[in-house]
Amino acid sequence: MTILNILPSLGRYAEFVWSSYSLSLVALVVLAILSWRKKKVLEKRLEQITAKRSKT
Amino acid sequence: MHKFANPVRFNRLASALLPWTFALTVIAFAAGLYYAIYVSPADYQQGESVRIMYVHVPAASLSLAIYVFMAAASAVFIIWKHPLAVLGAKAAAPIGMVYCGLALATGSIWGKPMWGAWWQWDARLTSMLVLFFLYLGYMALWQVMEDSNKAAKTSSILALVGVVNIPIIKFSVEWWNTLHQPSSLIREGGSAIDPSMMTPLLLMLAAYALYFVTVLLWRMKAEMAEKRLELALREKVTWS
């Protein structure tokens, strides 16, 4: 069962609708991943610096 | 409001809220997409292309709301010097920019089969493009200015000046003879949308709003960590 069998048939508007949905979902997923990663990286660096300072 | 000016308190609140907002975002998107793709009917004039409405309208509406949020946060920063307000505006900008970009792109994709053109210099489309440039300009100010205090003040002024574009976008379809259809959600006399289309539209609006809250909290935590890192590194330089 391919993904194309799960999705409904949208006739002549299919390419317009699916490209809109794909573009939206990809953009939102990429933004979410980049935002979450930025938070993780900065929090980890802050933890390392804080740990170093408490040791010295 | 001043209770949450304390970054530690805000960070704790954000950490408590994030699992819930993330879960609700996923649920709202799942339900909204299901209703938008499988349940809602085709339009009698636009056919199946009307399904683009369920990604286009939430992106457009939220991009306006986010800019108003940025302007309000900027005003709070300028008037009360609330330290987290400007970080909130800075964190919201990329999300608003992506939403605005998606509204323009999906609108263009929808316009091709409906209007026969990818783009028209119509009042609504042009003012949305101006909003997209305002978002870009706001983010660029933070990037180019080395002094973060100067960047905060300058970008806040831009956000406040640019907010005049929001009512222009909203009322453009009434003030001018536009290609873009008039308001059908929030209008005099009530909404013009059938319940079978209103349900997926409201679900997707909720999904986009919850997504904004989730990503905003992530970005604000990142901004606060970055600020603390800056201070820690500055102290290290002072001491060494």
Side-chain angles (χ1 to χ4, degrees):
Chain A
M1 200 181 181
T2 65
I3 194 155
L4 293 169
N5 292 347
I6 304 168
L7 298 172
S9 165
L10 300 179
R12 62 193 174 112
Y13 297 116
E15 55 185 346
F16 299 103
V17 176
W18 297 133
S19 54
S20 298
Y21 277 71
S22 313
L23 182 65
S24 301
L25 290 176
V26 165
L28 295 179
V29 165
V30 166
L31 177 64
I33 290 171
L34 290 176
S35 304
W36 182 82
R37 274 183 64 182
K38 182 179 178 183
K39 176 190 88 87
K40 271 282 171 215
V41 164
L42 287 167
E43 283 180 344
K44 193 172 180 188
R45 274 196 5 220
L46 185 63
E47 242 177 69
Q48 287 168 348
I49 286 193
T50 314
K52 227 189 231 173
R53 282 171 74 188
S54 59
K55 276 188 195 155
T56 55
Chain B
M1 184 170 61
H2 291 278
K3 225 170 49 168
F4 297 108
N6 182 323
V8 173
R9 194 178 281 136
F10 182 87
N11 224 345
R12 226 180 286 143
L13 175 68
S15 299
L17 286 174
L18 269 165
W20 294 100
T21 61
F22 182 81
L24 286 170
T25 303
V26 171
I27 293 168
F29 263 111
L33 288 170
Y34 173 74
Y35 271 85
I37 295 170
Y38 293 99
V39 178
S40 74
D43 183 69
Y44 79 105
Q45 279 184 327
Q46 299 188 61
E48 301 287 355
S49 75
V50 78
R51 295 181 201 282
I52 298 174
M53 174 176 69
Y54 305 120
V55 289
H56 172 74
V57 170
S61 307
L62 266 291
S63 72
L64 267 62
I66 291 169
Y67 199 88
V68 172
F69 167 83
M70 283 168 56
S74 299
V76 167
F77 169 70
I78 286 176
I79 297 167
W80 289 293
K81 307 279 185 275
H82 194 299
L84 292 181
V86 75
L87 290 186
K90 187 185 177 192
I95 312 168
M97 188 205 72
V98 167
Y99 278 8
C100 191
L102 284 176
L104 288 166
T106 54
S108 175
I109 294 169
W110 198 2
K112 183 59 183 167
M114 290 301 114
W115 301 338
W118 295 107
W119 181 261
Q120 278 290 320
W121 290 105
D122 159 276
R124 172 59 68 88
L125 276 68
T126 308
S127 51
M128 277 298 284
L129 186 63
V130 168
L131 181 65
F132 185 73
F133 289 137
L134 281 168
Y135 272 119
L136 282 179
Y138 181 92
M139 289 164 62
L141 281 172
W142 277 102
Q143 290 294 310
V144 302
M145 290 186 155
E146 274 185 32
D147 183 345
S148 58
N149 290 325
K150 258 196 190 144
K153 285 190 189 130
T154 318
S155 58
S156 298
I157 291 167
L158 175 66
L160 284 167
V161 167
V163 84
V164 75
N165 190 34
I166 303 303
I168 292 173
I169 295 172
K170 168 68 186 155
F171 296 110
S172 58
V173 290
E174 290 164 44
W175 293 344
W176 291 286
N177 209 9
T178 64
L179 197 56
H180 194 285
Q181 68 169 70
S183 305
S184 34
L185 199 57
I186 300 169
R187 60 195 276 272
E188 230 179 274
S191 164
I193 302 181
D194 187 82
S196 62
M197 291 182 170
M198 183 67 108
T199 305
L201 185 57
L202 290 177
L203 279 170
M204 289 300 280
L205 270 164
Y208 274 67
L210 286 162
Y211 175 95
F212 165 67
V213 171
T214 306
V215 177
L216 177 71
L217 290 175
W218 280 339
R219 296 193 77 90
M220 279 192 73
K221 284 167 81 65
E223 292 296 336
M224 289 188 296
E226 195 170 26
K227 233 344 199 217
R228 285 176 65 192
L229 261 170
E230 245 175 69
L231 290 166
L233 291 170
R234 219 179 288 160
E235 274 176 35
K236 197 176 172 188
V237 168
T238 314
W239 281 111
S240 62

